[in-house]
Each structure stands twice: as structure tokens, then as C-alpha cells.
Amino acid sequence: MQKGDYVLYGTEGCHLCELAEVLVADFQLSVHHQDICDDESLVKQYGISIPVLKQVKTGQEIAWPFTQVEIQELIRGVV
């Protein structure tokens, strides 16, 4: 995978985002962490659904609560 193949949307101090980071780290993906508070449009889009993991190439995403199985499906493109 290339750097930035995945984006993990979240925000600082979000305990659910911290849990998601641990799950995602198990897959050793190239993930860009994006704080939604840095962009008003991201707050509107993801404000009530973070953390969200997005596959950049396909645009597919999964919102919390997600599991390791759902991450695997996102990687395989079957979401």
C-alpha cells in the first residue's frame, strides 16, 4: 500500500477514535490521520459518525463501531 491509501477521520480526545486507531494499527496500513476539527466541511460530514476509516482509491468507508472483519472487507473492497 502507498502512503495515504487510507484516511482515519477523528478528532483529538475522542476515546472511540483511539480504539479505532488500535484496531487499524493491527493491519499495518498506510493511514493518514485527519482531525475533522481542522475543516468545517469534515465536521458537517463526519461529526456524528467518527471515527471513520476511508479507502482513498475507492472512496469506500466504514464508520464506528467497526470490527477487524469489516476492516478486512474494506481492504479487500467488499464493503
Side-chain angles (χ1 to χ4, degrees), residues 6-78:
Y6 295 86
V7 178
L8 183 59
Y9 294 100
T11 194
E12 189 174 323
C14 168
H15 73 283
L16 297 177
C17 299
E18 292 169 4
L19 294 173
E21 287 180 28
V22 171
L23 275 181
V24 171
D26 288 343
F27 291 91
Q28 300 179 342
L29 300 173
S30 176
V31 178
H32 169 73
H33 292 83
Q34 177 66 52
D35 191 322
I36 65 167
C37 290
D38 295 338
D39 184 324
E40 184 64 32
S41 66
L42 293 177
V43 171
K44 288 180 182 178
Q45 185 173 359
Y46 296 114
I48 61 170
S49 58
I50 60 170
V52 172
L53 182 62
K54 180 178 184 177
Q55 207 286 349
V56 175
K57 289 181 184 177
T58 64
Q60 292 178 312
E61 54 189 39
I62 53 175
W64 192 260
F66 50 79
T67 65
Q68 288 183 328
V69 170
E70 290 171 307
I71 295 171
Q72 289 172 334
E73 290 173 348
L74 180 68
I75 293 168
R76 291 193 319 254
V78 295

